[in-house]
C-alpha cells in the first residue's frame, strides 16, 4: 500500500538477480501492482559475473550469496520496502528491504520503531523483521557501500 509520507510499500519477491538486486511485485495501493527491479541500498555484494577486476573467488562468493538469499527468501516471500525516489544508473529503484526471518535468529536486529510503527496495513509477520542491509553487513556477507 502506498504511503506518500513514508514511501513504504508491501512487496513480494519474484527473484534474486544477485546479492544486491531483486525483482519484486509491489503493491502500490488501489489494487495496482507493478513489477520492479530494486537495488538494496547501503551494501556492496560480491559480483556474480567475471569481468575486469573481478576475481574467480569473488564470483564464487557472489553466486553463493545469491543462492543463500534465494533459499532464505524465495519467490513469493512478502516484505516491506522503503523506496527512495530515485533509481541508480542501471534503472533499479533504490530501497531498504525489511523481511521476516525464516528461523528465529538470536543475533537478528529488529527494525527500528519508527519503521515498525509505519508498516502498511495487511503485513502481519509472525517472527522477527529485519533490515536486510544491516543483517547482511553484520554477518560479513556483504560490505558497506561507501561510494
Amino acid at each position: 500500500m502506498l504511503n506518500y509520507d513514508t514511501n513504504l510499500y508491501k512487496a513480494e519477491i519474484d527473484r534474486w538477480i544477485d546479492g544486491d538486486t531483486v525483482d519484486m511485485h509491489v503493491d502500490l495501493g488501489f489494487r495496482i501492482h507493478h513489477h520492479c527491479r530494486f537495488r538494496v541500498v547501503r551494501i556492496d555484494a560480491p559480483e556474480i559475473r567475471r569481468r575486469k577486476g573481478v576475481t574467480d573467488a569473488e564470483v564464487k562468493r557472489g553466486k553463493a550469496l545469491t543462492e543463500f538469499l534465494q533459499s532464505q527468501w524465495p519467490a513469493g516471500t512478502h516484505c516491506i520496502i522503503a523506496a527512495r525516489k530515485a533509481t541508480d544508473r542501471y534503472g533499479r529503484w533504490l530501497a531498504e528491504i525489511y523481511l521476516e526471518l525464516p528461523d528465529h535468529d538470536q543475533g537478528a536486529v529488529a527494525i527500528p520503531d519508527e519503521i515498525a510503527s509505519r508498516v502498511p496495513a495487511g503485513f502481519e509477520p509472525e517472527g522477527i523483521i529485519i533490515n536486510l542491509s544491516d543483517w547482511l553487513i553484520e554477518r560479513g556477507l556483504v560490505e558497506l557501500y561507501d561510494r
Side-chain angles (χ1 to χ4, degrees), residues 54-128:
V54 177
T55 65
D56 289 337
E58 181 178 355
V59 169
K60 186 176 181 179
R61 285 193 329 272
K63 289 180 178 181
L65 175 59
T66 304
E67 289 175 12
F68 171 76
L69 291 169
Q70 289 170 343
S71 70
Q72 293 296 299
W73 297 286
T77 299
H78 294 274
C79 62
I80 297 294
I81 57 171
R84 297 188 181 173
K85 296 178 182 179
T87 58
D88 68 2
R89 64 182 173 169
Y90 302 109
R92 300 174 294 186
W93 289 97
L94 306 175
E96 295 277 1
I97 299 177
Y98 299 93
L99 294 154
E100 183 174 2
L101 283 176
D103 297 316
H104 292 289
D105 181 347
Q106 299 302 322
V109 176
I111 62 172
D113 289 339
E114 61 270 13
I115 297 292
S117 65
R118 299 183 327 216
V119 170
F123 185 73
E124 299 174 9
E126 297 176 7
I128 298 172

Side-chain angles (χ1 to χ4, degrees), residues 10-15 23-27 74-79:
K10 290 189 295 184
E12 182 179 305
I13 293 173
D14 181 31
R15 72 182 184 117
D23 286 347
M24 289 194 262
H25 296 281
V26 182
D27 180 352
T77 299
H78 294 274
C79 62

